[in-house]
Amino acid sequence: MSGFFVLSVSCEPENTPMRLQEITIYPIKSFAGIDLTESEVTERGLLYDRNWMLINSKGKFISQREFPILSLLITQIENGSLNISHRLNKAFQLQLGLAESLQATSQVDVWDDTMLAEHVSEEASAKLSEILQQEVSLVKIGKSTSRLADTRFVDTDTQVSFADGYPFLIISQASLDDLNSRLEAPVEMNRFRPNMVISGSTSFEEDTWKEIQIGECRFQIVKPCARCEVTTINQQTAERGKEPLRTLSKYRREGNKVLFGQNMIALKAGKISVGDKVKILK
């Protein structure tokens, strides 16, 4: 990375160990996340993370970029079911089995990647189409789904889910604190949709890491995460604004990209838990 990033002084004591502060999964791409106390780390990402998504009639994924209302759709995983509700419309309820499938596949697109995905439920697709006022289909990762992380940055055949590009996204709490110190109105971490939040570091220290260990798992830092207009959507109301992207662009811009957080792949799978120590290996 270029040298424009300046590490600010952390308010944490120097001897405070870095720890895993938060774990979040987003079972359906662009829907609200689920905060966990522990999770299984797999090659594709955290268990169930971005294993489902909505596609339009042409097979292209849809997200909060076009439909901010997706931020209001809440997911829960309970007793072998994926439950979907609406933050403001209490009458909207859907329940799907985690293994539910129509046994029909089609090609779908996530950015420049094309892969096979399984269609899940005609009822779910119809109800979600009604909410979005556009025809959409709910699809999931199936046995025939294969998608590799970008080989320009990853030198192994790493499978990835329906995430934008990589299996894991990590951000430090100190980095968000630094950003919020520059904003008139602070924003929550959910604007950035990380899988893991780290406490005890200095702001943007994650920019310098190459390999880390969390609990029993090891991760390779792949590349910074380029941010988009999703960060400007209030995840509680679905309202758009100009922040924090406007402020981030003033001090986190590299070329035509605004960077916040780091993408990772897993080098060693296993389980992570909130409170796990974070060790910098490289």
Side-chain angles (χ1 to χ4, degrees):
M1 291 185 60
S2 66
F4 74 94
F5 296 128
V6 178
L7 301 182
S8 66
V9 178
S10 172
C11 60
E12 296 278 349
E14 291 184 1
N15 60 353
T16 299
M18 289 190 292
R19 294 192 181 275
L20 181 57
Q21 175 178 296
E22 298 173 19
I23 302 171
T24 308
I25 61 171
Y26 310 85
I28 304 180
K29 185 177 178 67
S30 247
F31 284 30
I34 303 173
D35 293 329
L36 304 174
T37 57
E38 62 181 31
S39 181
E40 180 182 342
V41 171
T42 75
E43 179 184 1
R44 289 188 190 270
L46 297 180
L47 185 64
Y48 300 125
D49 186 51
R50 278 100 168 185
N51 278 17
W52 293 261
M53 70 176 178
L54 294 180
I55 57 171
N56 63 20
S57 58
K58 296 182 179 180
K60 180 177 175 58
F61 84 97
I62 66 170
S63 74
Q64 291 184 33
R65 296 169 183 85
E66 306 89 19
F67 298 96
I69 192 176
L70 293 179
S71 67
L72 303 180
L73 294 174
I74 300 170
T75 54
Q76 292 292 333
I77 295 177
E78 298 175 327
N79 301 320
S81 294
L82 175 64
N83 302 324
I84 308 171
S85 58
H86 193 293
R87 198 181 305 278
L88 304 180
N89 180 1
K90 303 304 181 183
F92 182 84
Q93 299 285 334
L94 275 172
Q95 186 176 65
L96 305 164
L98 292 176
E100 187 168 338
S101 170
L102 294 174
Q103 302 300 316
T105 62
S106 63
Q107 287 193 333
V108 301
D109 295 326
V110 178
W111 298 115
D112 295 329
D113 296 332
T114 300
M115 70 222 74
L116 285 175
E118 293 183 2
H119 289 261
V120 176
S121 162
E122 292 180 356
E123 177 191 8
S125 295
K127 287 188 174 182
L128 291 166
S129 295
E130 184 177 352
I131 286 287
L132 271 62
Q133 298 184 339
Q134 175 173 314
E135 181 184 350
V136 297
S137 297
L138 182 65
V139 297
K140 64 178 288 188
I141 290 174
K143 294 179 181 179
S144 56
T145 304
S146 179
R147 180 189 179 210
L148 297 180
D150 194 335
T151 54
R152 292 176 300 172
F153 301 97
V154 178
D155 58 5
T156 60
D157 291 339
T158 299
Q159 290 284 328
V160 63
S161 66
F162 295 140
D164 274 357
Y166 300 92
F168 307 93
L169 176 62
I170 191 170
I171 300 175
S172 72
Q173 179 63 46
S175 297
L176 180 66
D177 293 344
D178 181 282
L179 169 61
N180 279 334
S181 72
R182 303 165 189 261
L183 297 174
E184 290 185 8
V187 297
E188 295 183 14
M189 186 67 83
N190 59 17
R191 298 272 188 122
F192 301 97
R193 304 177 69 78
N195 296 115
M196 306 172 208
V197 177
I198 303 303
S199 67
S201 72
T202 55
S203 57
F204 304 108
E205 185 178 340
E206 60 268 34
D207 294 342
T208 68
W209 302 340
K210 295 182 179 180
E211 187 176 322
I212 64 174
Q213 181 173 333
I214 303 177
E216 62 187 32
C217 302
R218 289 190 298 113
F219 300 90
Q220 177 187 332
I221 308 297
V222 175
K223 66 180 292 292
C225 183
R227 309 317 307 212
C228 68
E229 62 268 32
V230 170
T231 62
T232 68
I233 298 170
N234 185 316
Q235 297 295 295
Q236 301 298 314
T237 65
E239 296 174 327
R240 288 186 188 270
K242 294 182 179 180
E243 295 290 8
L245 205 55
R246 180 171 59 183
T247 294
L248 278 173
S249 67
K250 296 176 181 178
Y251 76 114
R252 293 290 298 174
R253 179 180 291 278
E254 187 172 273
N256 62 352
K257 296 180 180 180
V258 177
L259 308 177
F260 194 82
Q262 293 286 334
N263 292 295
M264 305 190 301
I265 62 171
L267 299 178
K268 180 184 178 184
K271 188 179 78 171
I272 56 173
S273 302
V274 169
D276 281 347
K277 285 186 178 181
V278 179
K279 298 178 182 178
I280 309 307
L281 304 179
K282 293 181 182 179

